[in-house]
Amino acid sequence: MKVVIFAGGFGTRLSEETAIRPKPMVEVGGRPILWHIMKIYAHHGFNDFVVLGGYKVDYIRDYFLNYRGHQTDYTIDLKTGNIEWLQSVGEDWKVTVLDTGSDTMTGGRLKKAMPLLKDAPFCLTYGDGVSDVDIAALVEVHRASNCWCTLTAVTQPGRYGALRLKEKSTHVAGFREKSVTDGGLINGGFFVCEPEVFELIDGSQTTWENEPMERMVELDKLGYFHHNGYWQSMDSLRDRMVLEAAWTEGAPWKLWKD
């Protein structure tokens, strides 16, 4: 199953960092948060990635093109260009980086990847959030749901819009604005999708979180997986500081071994 990652936005609320690089390449613990997300999925056996780039996509391309050289000692013959790798270090990943356009919205970005995704279910997530969510369990819940998409429902106070959930069901009933005192669940990303979701994306200016998901609610095709553990997005400099502190204290999302 492929893992699709949104990585093309401007990240304006983190402009201190994103003036020079896209938000998914902002580092936590010396590594891009995109790398942390991919490590989470790889821990559960998902290692075929499609990165939906846009703003400063060449930064992401260069990172993966030069990944081995930055991680491994080598000897290079400057005359012939031959490289001898002195260590066998790297990730067992297949990575596709797509330029989906700087001004494309999230739904439009996903639609541009349809030729790679139209034949089978796929995972989907944002390039700015980490969690200790059980991806394998999420996939199993989705497979049993008869939904076109299953999102991960997490608890997060503050500024996010909350979910309305159907009783005695794993289907989403709708969305509503969240107040500071609301203890409800929010959409934490970490989706599993069927190819049918492409039918709900009209074009490049479609926002994934709006029309497509609202249409799935109307069709009773949007499900949820309740995650009680750690979840944190990186929308601001403060969020990055929270993640850095968590990394030094043990990183709850670090499910893999070094």
Side-chain angles (χ1 to χ4, degrees):
M1 185 179 287
K2 292 183 184 294
V3 178
V4 185
I5 306 175
F6 290 122
F10 290 100
T12 53
R13 284 186 286 187
L14 197 61
S15 59
E16 300 91 343
E17 296 280 353
T18 57
I20 59 173
R21 53 187 165 182
K23 184 163 69 165
M25 299 307 293
V26 174
E27 294 185 352
V28 174
R31 298 273 196 163
I33 194 169
L34 177 61
W35 177 88
H36 291 264
I37 295 165
M38 296 168 81
K39 290 288 284 188
I40 293 168
Y41 276 97
H43 171 77
H44 292 283
F46 300 88
N47 58 6
D48 188 351
F49 299 96
V50 179
V51 181
L52 305 181
Y55 172 68
K56 295 188 180 296
V57 65
D58 286 343
Y59 199 109
I60 299 174
R61 286 172 167 165
D62 290 344
Y63 177 77
F64 288 111
L65 282 172
N66 297 296
Y67 187 88
R68 190 173 185 182
H70 288 300
Q71 306 300 321
T72 310
D73 293 336
Y74 59 85
T75 300
I76 182 170
D77 186 322
L78 295 181
K79 183 176 182 179
T80 65
N82 291 332
I83 298 175
E84 176 187 357
W85 301 103
L86 303 182
Q87 298 168 298
S88 180
V89 176
E91 306 289 352
D92 185 20
W93 298 349
K94 179 181 177 182
V95 183
T96 302
V97 181
L98 299 181
D99 182 359
T100 61
S102 294
D103 298 319
T104 307
M105 304 304 288
T106 47
R109 295 191 193 285
L110 182 58
K111 187 96 172 194
K112 291 186 178 184
M114 186 172 68
L116 301 176
L117 306 170
K118 63 183 180 180
D119 297 324
F122 57 92
C123 292
L124 172 68
T125 195
Y126 301 104
D128 62 357
V130 292
S131 175
D132 59 356
V133 59
D134 187 337
I135 303 294
L138 163 63
V139 171
E140 289 304 312
V141 167
H142 173 76
R143 286 174 172 164
S145 71
N146 194 35
C147 288
W148 289 357
C149 176
T150 300
L151 57 79
T152 299
V154 300
T155 302
Q156 172 75 8
R159 61 190 178 277
Y160 298 89
L163 300 169
R164 288 192 296 109
L165 307 179
K166 292 191 174 182
E167 294 184 6
K168 300 179 181 180
S169 171
T170 59
H171 289 214
V172 176
F175 303 90
R176 59 188 169 82
E177 289 304 312
K178 180 177 174 66
S179 71
V180 174
T181 59
D182 194 336
L185 299 173
I186 65 164
N187 169 22
F190 293 95
F191 307 92
V192 183
C193 302
E194 299 294 325
E196 283 83 355
V197 299
F198 292 112
E199 300 172 14
L200 307 177
I201 302 173
D202 294 329
S204 63
Q205 294 306 299
T206 300
T207 302
W208 166 248
E209 301 79 14
N210 292 341
E211 296 93 337
M213 294 180 66
E214 290 167 359
R215 291 178 188 174
M216 280 187 278
V217 169
E218 294 171 0
L219 296 168
D220 197 24
K221 289 295 184 180
L222 181 62
Y224 73 93
F225 173 78
H226 189 185
H227 173 59
N228 287 310
Y230 184 88
W231 179 89
Q232 177 65 50
S233 65
M234 188 178 65
D235 286 328
S236 66
L237 184 59
R238 178 189 175 279
D239 291 338
R240 180 174 180 267
M241 293 171 65
V242 168
L243 287 167
E244 282 286 0
W247 178 259
T248 60
E249 294 169 4
W253 69 89
K254 187 179 181 294
L255 307 173
W256 62 91
K257 295 181 180 179
D258 292 325

